[in-house]
């Protein structure tokens, strides 16, 4: 077993107001914590990774294939591999949650 203390993890601001913390990384999956400030957006992107997530706090909106999904505290979601998606926090409080990626994913290429 490998323990990954929160204090040992680096948080990056991938785009304005979108903070990602890479947590545990295994051979077949990885865990990432996210914090999205009010008004911030994750730009449309896709990746080879299947992505499942869980929202701990706040509400944000996913846009997938022209459809809108409002995700709030206690909700979880699945984004299939290769599916273009984006997310926005149009609320007044930060959104906090966890994403799991398989295969493992490092910080996204859209952070540039």
């Amino acid at each position: 077993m490998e323990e990954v203390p929160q204090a040992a993890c680096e948080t990056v601001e991938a785009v304005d107001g979108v903070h990602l913390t890479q947590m545990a990384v295994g051979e077949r999956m990885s865990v990432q914590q996210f914090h999205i400030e009010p008004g911030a957006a994750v730009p449309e992107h896709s990746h080879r990774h299947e992505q499942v997530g869980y929202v701990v706090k706040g509400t944000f909106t996913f846009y997938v294939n022209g459809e809108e999904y409002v995700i709030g505290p206690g909700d979880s979601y699945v984004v299939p591999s290769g599916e273009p998606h984006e997310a926005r926090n149009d609320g007044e409080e930060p959104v906090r949650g966890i994403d799991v990626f398989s295969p493992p994913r490092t910080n996204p290429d859209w952070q540039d």
Side-chain angles (χ1 to χ4, degrees):
M1 183 175 136
E2 178 185 353
E3 179 183 7
V4 182
Q6 172 90 29
C9 299
E10 178 186 3
T11 299
V12 298
E13 188 169 18
V15 293
D16 288 343
V18 178
H19 307 273
L20 305 176
T21 306
Q22 185 73 34
M23 306 294 287
V25 178
E27 289 182 28
R28 296 189 185 123
M29 66 183 78
S30 61
V31 178
Q32 180 176 284
Q33 187 177 51
F34 61 85
H35 174 102
I36 304 173
E37 295 291 336
V42 175
E44 183 177 79
H45 64 286
S46 65
H47 40 74
R48 65 186 182 99
H49 316 83
E50 181 176 38
Q51 175 181 351
V52 297
Y54 176 80
V55 176
V56 176
K57 176 183 174 184
T59 300
F60 69 133
T61 305
F62 262 104
Y63 298 92
V64 182
N65 290 328
E67 292 194 45
E68 185 175 300
Y69 301 87
V70 178
I71 310 294
D75 293 342
S76 58
Y77 51 88
V78 177
V79 179
S81 173
E83 190 161 278
H85 57 286
E86 62 183 289
R88 287 195 344 232
N89 179 358
D90 294 324
E92 296 184 11
E93 69 174 319
V95 178
R96 291 185 181 271
I98 299 290
D99 278 326
V100 177
F101 295 94
S102 179
R105 184 176 107 163
T106 57
N107 288 320
D109 57 7
W110 46 263
Q111 74 181 43
D112 298 327

